[in-house]
Amino acid sequence: MFESINRYIKVLKVPGNGNFPYCTCVLFDDEMKVLMDSSCGSDLAAKLKAHGLDVLLHTHMHLDHTGNTGELGPVQLWCHGLDAPGIRSVQTYLDMYGFHMFEGEQLGRKLAEHFGLQSRTVDREIVDGELLDFGRIKLRVIHTPGHTPGHCSFYDEENDILFSADIDLGPLGPFYAHLCSDIDDLLGSIQRCMDLKPTMVIAGHNGLVKGDLHAKFLAYRDKVISKEERIYRSISAPRSLDDLADEHNFLIPRLEFAYYQKYFNKHGVLKHLERLIKMGRLACAEGLYYRV
């Protein structure tokens, strides 16, 4: 059911090795019983409900971190205030993703139906820098926006463990292909995690990460910069967003999500185009992007 990091910290063995639509879920089995993120599958959710939980701590609002919430029994739900609206309202969740753009309303409805999204009550809004005291385990809230506005990592200062959520140090780099993402914030958040110099990272989809963490954070950050440079190089002549979205992928190609591919590609490419315009490297006229 879990891998024990120590007496109080247990990383759940979730289906799919923690890949979407699941994630790395962590049980803090302390004076307070706290679960960090909940997309662990129904079997594990039933066992956790029987074990008894006091708090469900969401790192952010995404469905692959908030799944199975309704199967855990009566628990307090905590998350950062900037992501709380997307948990409290399914429609706000879809709006924050940007499904009202690019004729994506039907895709948004299909997503909500497929994953059974439900509006939830948020009992406590956590803030950057506060210390969450579970007993022996105390976690510092590290607000790490960019992936979502209220995305948080958590730092166990005594054990020098960073729970980095979707700054997950995976080989594909970060995901930021929706409306509420911000590349500059994301790059700053990666730097903030790196500056903590933890000896261990427990990542949202990559599990336990050790080794040369500084190099891993740098490589993860550089995935964003490399993608931006590829987009820039591909604009040797004026290009449209639709054209660029056919060429640059932001999702792992999976047959069951193929109809979402170009939609998310548009959001991801647009994030880089907007950033390149802000940097003075591109301009846009009549729907075409060109170098300046």
Side-chain angles (χ1 to χ4, degrees):
M1 177 179 174
F2 55 77
E3 175 184 359
S4 292
I5 303 302
N6 59 34
R7 179 178 173 184
Y8 304 99
I9 302 174
K10 301 170 182 179
V11 179
L12 302 187
K13 296 181 179 179
V14 302
N17 292 319
N19 291 314
F20 185 93
Y22 305 102
C23 71
T24 302
C25 302
V26 182
L27 175 64
F28 299 95
D29 202 1
D30 207 335
E31 294 173 19
M32 293 177 65
K33 311 294 184 186
V34 179
L35 181 67
M36 181 183 292
D37 288 337
S38 58
S39 291
C40 58
S42 293
D43 290 345
L44 274 175
K47 292 176 181 177
L48 289 164
K49 180 180 179 180
H51 182 70
L53 294 172
D54 299 305
V55 171
L56 174 55
L57 178 63
H58 282 320
T59 60
H60 61 296
M61 69 178 189
H62 281 163
L63 64 87
D64 56 326
H65 292 257
T66 64
N68 305 109
T69 294
E71 302 170 50
L72 296 170
V75 297
Q76 290 273 311
L77 196 157
W78 299 357
C79 71
H80 191 277
L82 292 177
D83 270 21
I87 292 176
R88 290 184 173 121
S89 164
V90 172
Q91 186 57 56
T92 301
Y93 180 92
L94 298 177
D95 289 344
M96 289 176 74
Y97 251 93
F99 280 111
H100 55 286
M101 299 171 63
F102 310 136
E103 300 179 342
E105 290 87 353
Q106 183 177 354
L107 289 178
R109 289 192 294 271
K110 185 179 291 187
L111 182 90
E113 180 180 349
H114 180 80
F115 289 103
L117 288 180
Q118 296 184 25
S119 301
R120 303 285 181 190
T121 298
V122 175
D123 300 286
R124 175 176 169 182
E125 296 184 6
I126 58 176
V127 298
D128 182 48
E130 75 172 296
L131 192 66
L132 306 180
D133 188 346
F134 305 149
R136 292 294 298 273
I137 297 297
K138 296 172 177 58
L139 299 183
R140 183 73 63 187
V141 178
I142 311 294
H143 183 212
T144 47
H147 180 60
T148 66
H151 182 279
C152 286
S153 304
F154 299 90
Y155 186 41
D156 178 348
E157 296 167 338
E158 180 177 347
N159 294 298
D160 201 17
I161 301 172
L162 178 67
F163 301 87
S164 64
D166 270 5
I167 299 177
D168 71 354
L169 301 181
L172 298 177
F175 181 76
Y176 44 90
H178 44 31
L179 179 63
C180 69
S181 297
D182 186 285
I183 294 176
D184 289 322
D185 283 349
L186 177 61
L187 294 174
S189 293
I190 294 169
Q191 184 65 50
R192 188 176 185 192
C193 288
M194 188 163 51
D195 288 345
L196 290 170
K197 299 180 180 178
T199 56
M200 180 188 299
V201 167
I202 297 177
H205 295 283
N206 209 21
L208 181 61
V209 184
K210 292 183 177 180
D212 188 348
L213 291 173
H214 182 78
K216 288 180 170 67
F217 276 116
L218 286 177
Y220 188 73
R221 179 202 66 188
D222 288 348
K223 296 285 185 182
V224 180
I225 306 303
S226 295
K227 185 177 287 290
E228 186 158 280
E229 290 305 313
R230 287 196 299 274
I231 291 170
Y232 180 76
R233 288 195 301 270
S234 70
I235 308 176
S236 55
R239 305 278 301 273
S240 70
L241 176 59
D242 274 341
D243 188 20
L244 291 164
D246 286 330
E247 185 174 323
H248 299 280
N249 287 327
F250 285 79
L251 284 182
I252 303 171
R254 284 172 58 172
L255 184 61
E256 66 267 38
F257 300 124
Y259 42 84
Y260 288 99
Q261 188 77 53
K262 186 165 183 178
Y263 170 79
F264 283 113
N265 288 351
K266 281 187 177 182
H267 272 293
V269 170
L270 183 59
K271 290 293 177 185
H272 281 293
L273 295 176
E274 290 172 342
R275 186 169 184 266
L276 287 164
I277 288 173
K278 186 169 63 175
M279 295 166 67
R281 300 179 69 190
L282 290 182
C284 180
E286 298 181 351
L288 295 178
Y289 294 86
Y290 57 94
R291 297 184 189 180
V292 295

